[in-house]
Amino acid sequence: MISTGQQTRAQFVSIIKDIHPYIDFVHLREPSWTDNEMIEAINLLIEEGVPRNKLVVNTRVNIAHVMKTYGIQLTNESMDVTEVKKFYRHLRVGCSVHSVKEAIDAAGHGADYLIYGHIFETGSKRGIAPRGVKQLEEVTHNTTAPVIAIGGITPENTQLVLQSGASGIAVLSGILLARDPLQAVKRYQECLAGGIK
């Protein structure tokens, strides 16, 4: 579950407290939040019963370290994965990648997992062609790191993504902006388990 940047901290925390039993990780990707706002959100999530080891912070290694979250998600503008692994050994490190070469490089430098996309058309990437499941398959077959697919993933196409070698999916608006986020997350979970095709 990745935050959308379209909700207040209070709205986000309110949804996550209800759905966190049905998701593996909560990825806080909020570039508009200050460091203090990010820390406040993490504290609120923990107070609401969300386990610290389910929290992943986007790019801000210092906050992930200080708040003892599960891990950090790096982009191509972040600190190098090798440096993060060297100085923050307690953090699991994910890398956002957009090609086979980037995936191989990130995995080779110690990334614990990769987020690759966007796979399907999505409103957040208007005008940019999706990479599709064939390119996803190339990435998953050319790296040993687990690959999490992102971008336009719905309950209906979840199994297709998994059949392409992805180890999991990352969802934003499909859950967080749904009319009933709890019902939505349960539907995704059922699809991940192969119950709905």
Side-chain angles (χ1 to χ4, degrees):
M1 180 80 270
I2 301 182
S3 62
T4 65
Q6 298 182 49
Q7 293 154 318
T8 65
R9 288 185 302 288
Q11 290 170 332
F12 178 70
V13 170
S14 177
I15 294 171
I16 296 299
K17 75 175 182 178
D18 292 332
I19 70 171
H20 80 83
Y22 303 96
I23 58 180
D24 296 313
F25 297 101
V26 180
H27 178 164
L28 295 154
R29 186 172 72 180
E30 296 290 330
S32 68
W33 290 358
T34 65
D35 286 358
N36 284 336
E37 289 170 335
M38 181 69 75
I39 289 169
E40 178 189 354
I42 291 170
N43 282 326
L44 287 171
L45 288 166
I46 292 168
E47 287 171 14
E48 291 292 353
V50 180
R52 196 182 297 266
N53 64 4
K54 276 193 175 185
L55 302 179
V56 175
V57 176
N58 200 67
T59 70
R60 304 187 211 189
V61 181
N62 57 332
I63 292 178
H65 170 66
V66 168
M67 298 304 293
K68 298 180 172 61
T69 63
Y70 173 84
I72 182 76
Q73 181 69 27
L74 303 178
T75 70
N76 56 7
E77 297 177 353
S78 302
M79 182 187 298
D80 185 82
V81 62
T82 306
E83 296 300 305
V84 177
K85 296 291 285 187
K86 179 178 177 182
F87 293 106
Y88 302 94
R89 296 184 182 183
H90 58 290
L91 292 175
R92 299 284 283 175
V93 180
C95 287
S96 299
V97 297
H98 307 91
S99 68
V100 172
K101 181 184 184 309
E102 286 182 12
I104 292 171
D105 288 348
H109 286 93
D112 295 300
Y113 65 93
L114 310 172
I115 294 184
Y116 175 78
H118 61 291
I119 307 303
F120 304 106
E121 287 187 17
T122 172
S124 63
K125 302 283 186 182
R126 293 189 190 282
I128 303 174
R131 292 183 168 88
V133 291
K134 287 191 176 180
Q135 288 189 48
L136 170 62
E137 199 168 79
E138 284 185 42
V139 169
T140 61
H141 289 173
N142 283 282
T143 180
T144 54
V147 177
I148 308 301
I150 189 172
I153 297 173
T154 65
E156 291 74 22
N157 62 33
T158 292
Q159 280 297 313
L160 180 60
V161 168
L162 298 180
Q163 289 163 10
S164 299
S167 297
I169 60 172
V171 179
L172 291 80
S173 58
I175 294 172
L176 286 175
L177 300 183
R179 182 172 298 170
D180 184 339
L182 184 57
Q183 182 181 9
V185 77
K186 287 180 177 180
R187 180 165 168 78
Y188 273 100
Q189 188 184 58
E190 188 174 351
C191 293
L192 282 166
I196 299 174
K197 302 281 172 87

